[in-house]
Amino acid sequence: MTYIIVTITYLALLVAIIIYKSRGVKSNEDFMVAGRGVPVYLLVGTLICTWIGSGSLFGTAGLTFRTGFSELWFSAGAWIGIIVIYFIAARVRKISQITLTDLLEERYNRTARLLGTITIIIAYMVIAGYQFKGGGRFINILTEGQISQETGMLISCIVIIGFTALAGMVSIVSIDVFNGAIMTLAMFLALPYAISHHGGLSEVISTIEATKPTHLSIFEGKGSDPLWVIGIILPTFLLLMSESSVYQKFSSAKDAASAKKAVFWMFIGVVVIEVMMCTLSVVGYAIYAEDARFFLSDGSVNRAMAEEIILRIGYEKIPAYAGSILFAAGVAIILSTGNTFLMVTSTNVTRDLFQKFWMKNASPEKILKIQRISIVVIGALAYLLMSQFQTILEMALISYTMIGASLAPALLASFFWKRVTEQGGVASIIAGMSTVLLISIINKVLEGQETVILGINFPLNTDYIAIPALIMSVTTLIVVSILTPHSPEEKWKPFIER
């Protein structure tokens, strides 16, 4: 009962904040970018919460349970991405657009914007969908199975859609400072209690050495396979490079200097939280090494169950007060990330489709109404998409690669390569997007079979999907740009000039 009371109380607090903040939403700019007045501390909180979502709480935790500290290669892709983002954050804010697709149109053309919009809508619906899936698992554990995962998913879907539609970006940045704080507190409380429950650090190490010693090193097991390391780094790195919600939040910053400072502290926060989540999941492997729920009959890891490792520790192995804070953090993680990705997707639909093609002269009030309707429709479609995937990690890898391989090369080139052309950028987006879609379709068609196509084994493990997608995208970008005329100076100068 303690868990339910704390979780509902925290959720009620967030609802109260959102209702209060929604009263200040007067225009579509307030809704989309919080009036461009977000201070550094709020921006830090919302940037951290953008990244630490259900993909981390469930997908990354499940990956750690399977691979041990080798999972940190997956997280490191994001850390490298944040470092690169640091050097362009101020420039993005100075350009003062609202969405990533605004940047694509300014550097390339309207076709690039439209393709970017399509890519973001598809991939972000998948990401929003796995927040609902994570919410379903969360509610199922919290209620000790009295509410099924399927019903929990529906409840999560309704709550997240309602939160997002009410106050938009204002609500997101307002609650994320609380969400970031409770996430950090939960990790600092849960980790020592979990270690203590298993008899101390030496006992944890002894158990893992006796059952899966490669879990204790990032360079052993899966971490010793260079191809796997590259394949697992790329999705998170590429996503950070082309994370539309991050760029939209840069546009919410008070000024360019604030955007850059926020990225620095985002890096610190994300590294600390992800290392602690990884460590907690490794400790969880020691705790549950003999628990049949986490393993299949052939001895392999039950991937779906492994993704619940952090919440299982919180509910079953540590004191109720610490576990309930961990569950409150779970609410924060699922709600914040679901809000963000519905918000960004609806912004792209509203600005890049409705405003561009059908409602060029619509009033701010009408645009705001359209965006709120878009949030509901996109949320419903995201809910329907969940049935196509088995695990949250699978959904994460495909969606991350869809965004990253399609948009990151063209976006990075706009800031670092004067020679990139409109044709090169457009061709790169098409190549990356079509490669991911093609591989996903082939994987679905050949599910349960083993076939070699062009020297590649299908179904292709999603751990490696980013490699062929990035190769196609980058190669196309370079070749087409070299074969087409230079872009005029007015196209590249705002992006290259510091």
Side-chain angles (χ1 to χ4, degrees):
M1 185 58 72
T2 302
Y3 290 83
I4 294 175
I5 292 171
V6 171
T7 300
I8 291 176
T9 300
Y10 186 70
L11 186 61
L13 171 64
L14 299 182
V15 170
I17 294 170
I18 287 175
I19 291 173
Y20 174 75
K21 287 293 184 180
S22 68
R23 297 161 60 192
V25 177
K26 306 298 182 184
S27 68
N28 61 313
E29 186 163 282
D30 287 339
F31 194 81
M32 292 178 182
V33 290
R36 299 192 193 277
V38 179
V40 172
Y41 75 95
L42 286 180
L43 196 56
V44 171
T46 197
L47 286 170
I48 290 172
C49 291
T50 295
W51 186 249
I52 307 294
S54 286
S56 300
L57 181 63
F58 294 99
T60 303
L63 179 62
T64 304
F65 193 90
R66 288 192 287 117
T67 66
F69 281 113
S70 292
E71 180 280 323
L72 288 175
W73 291 113
F74 182 70
S75 297
W79 306 342
I80 297 166
I82 295 170
I83 292 170
V84 177
I85 285 283
Y86 175 81
F87 293 100
I88 63 174
R91 276 183 271 173
V92 172
R93 181 59 185 85
K94 283 178 182 176
I95 294 171
S96 289
Q97 297 297 312
I98 288 179
T99 66
L100 181 148
T101 52
D102 289 332
L103 297 173
L104 289 175
E105 181 174 11
E106 185 157 335
R107 180 60 182 88
Y108 299 108
N109 53 34
R110 290 185 70 179
T111 302
R113 181 193 190 107
L114 181 59
L115 289 169
T117 298
I118 293 169
T119 302
I120 289 168
I121 290 171
I122 295 171
Y124 280 19
M125 279 199 297
V126 175
I127 295 175
Y130 70 67
Q131 309 312 312
F132 305 156
K133 187 182 281 287
R137 290 184 180 176
F138 177 91
I139 292 171
N140 178 256
I141 296 170
L142 182 66
T143 61
E144 297 183 311
Q146 293 182 44
I147 296 178
S148 68
Q149 288 191 20
E150 291 72 22
T151 303
M153 289 178 202
L154 181 59
I155 293 170
S156 300
C157 175
I158 293 169
V159 170
I160 291 171
I161 289 173
F163 268 49
T164 311
L166 192 59
M169 190 63 76
V170 170
S171 70
I172 292 169
V173 299
S174 298
I175 66 173
D176 275 355
V177 67
F178 297 99
N179 290 341
I182 200 164
M183 274 191 258
T184 306
L185 175 62
M187 290 302 113
F188 274 103
L189 284 174
L191 183 56
Y193 273 124
I195 293 171
S196 176
H197 177 274
H198 197 66
L201 186 59
S202 59
E203 189 61 33
V204 169
I205 293 172
S206 296
T207 300
I208 297 175
E209 284 179 339
T211 54
K212 201 77 170 180
T214 56
H215 270 37
L216 296 174
S217 171
I218 65 171
F219 299 106
E220 296 181 28
K222 280 287 190 181
S224 65
D225 179 356
L227 191 63
W228 182 84
V229 169
I230 293 169
I232 215 74
I233 280 180
L234 284 177
T236 49
F237 171 74
L238 293 173
L239 180 64
L240 247 300
M241 292 297 91
S242 48
E243 174 60 271
S244 188
S245 59
V246 169
Y247 287 88
Q248 189 166 339
K249 286 174 179 181
F250 287 162
S251 298
S252 305
K254 187 168 60 176
D255 50 41
S258 296
K260 196 167 184 178
K261 286 177 186 175
V263 175
F264 172 80
W265 289 108
M266 174 194 182
F267 175 81
I268 301 298
V270 167
V271 170
V272 169
I273 292 173
E274 289 197 326
V275 168
M276 294 193 75
M277 290 179 86
C278 176
T279 306
L280 182 59
S281 299
V282 171
V283 173
Y285 184 88
I287 293 172
Y288 290 100
E290 303 298 327
D291 192 319
R293 294 176 299 171
F294 286 85
F295 301 91
L296 301 176
S297 57
D298 63 359
S300 61
V301 171
N302 180 337
R303 294 192 177 201
M305 189 66 189
E307 290 189 336
E308 298 179 3
I309 184 62
I310 288 178
L311 290 184
R312 289 290 171 184
I313 291 171
Y315 199 76
E316 299 172 355
K317 303 299 182 182
I318 64 178
Y321 88 90
S324 60
I325 292 174
L326 186 61
F327 268 70
V331 169
I333 288 168
I334 294 165
L335 184 62
S336 175
T337 311
N339 283 350
T340 294
F341 283 97
L342 283 183
M343 183 67 216
V344 172
T345 312
S346 66
T347 300
N348 285 114
V349 168
T350 304
R351 286 176 55 80
D352 299 339
L353 297 180
F354 282 95
Q355 276 190 284
K356 282 289 179 181
F357 297 103
W358 301 298
M359 297 181 174
K360 294 182 180 179
N361 299 314
S363 66
E365 292 77 17
K366 190 163 189 177
I367 293 300
L368 182 57
K369 184 178 180 180
I370 292 292
Q371 181 153 12
R372 282 180 162 144
I373 293 171
S374 297
I375 288 168
V376 176
V377 173
I378 291 164
L381 291 173
Y383 178 79
L384 295 175
L385 268 175
M386 289 187 298
S387 63
Q388 301 303 308
F389 302 92
Q390 296 299 314
T391 67
I392 288 174
L393 182 64
E394 179 190 8
M395 296 175 77
L397 288 169
I398 290 174
S399 56
Y400 290 5
T401 304
M402 168 71 81
I403 289 286
S406 302
L407 304 184
L411 190 66
L412 281 176
S414 69
F415 286 102
F416 297 107
W417 191 32
K418 295 178 184 178
R419 184 65 182 83
V420 67
T421 64
E422 293 183 21
Q423 297 90 334
V426 169
S428 175
I429 295 171
I430 293 172
M433 179 170 57
S434 58
T435 301
V436 176
L437 287 174
L438 182 62
I439 291 173
S440 299
I441 291 168
I442 294 173
N443 275 356
K444 203 70 180 174
V445 171
L446 297 178
E447 195 171 15
Q449 306 174 42
E450 287 191 14
T451 307
V452 178
I453 301 175
L454 299 176
I456 300 174
N457 293 319
F458 283 93
L460 180 66
N461 189 324
T462 49
D463 288 2
Y464 301 95
I465 196 172
I467 296 174
L470 182 63
I471 289 172
M472 290 299 296
S473 183
V474 172
T475 302
T476 304
L477 177 82
I478 294 170
V479 171
V480 175
S481 291
I482 289 173
L483 295 177
T484 50
H486 290 238
S487 296
E489 184 176 343
E490 60 267 22
K491 277 281 186 184
W492 57 259
K493 193 172 182 180
F495 291 82
I496 300 294
E497 210 173 52
R498 295 180 183 275

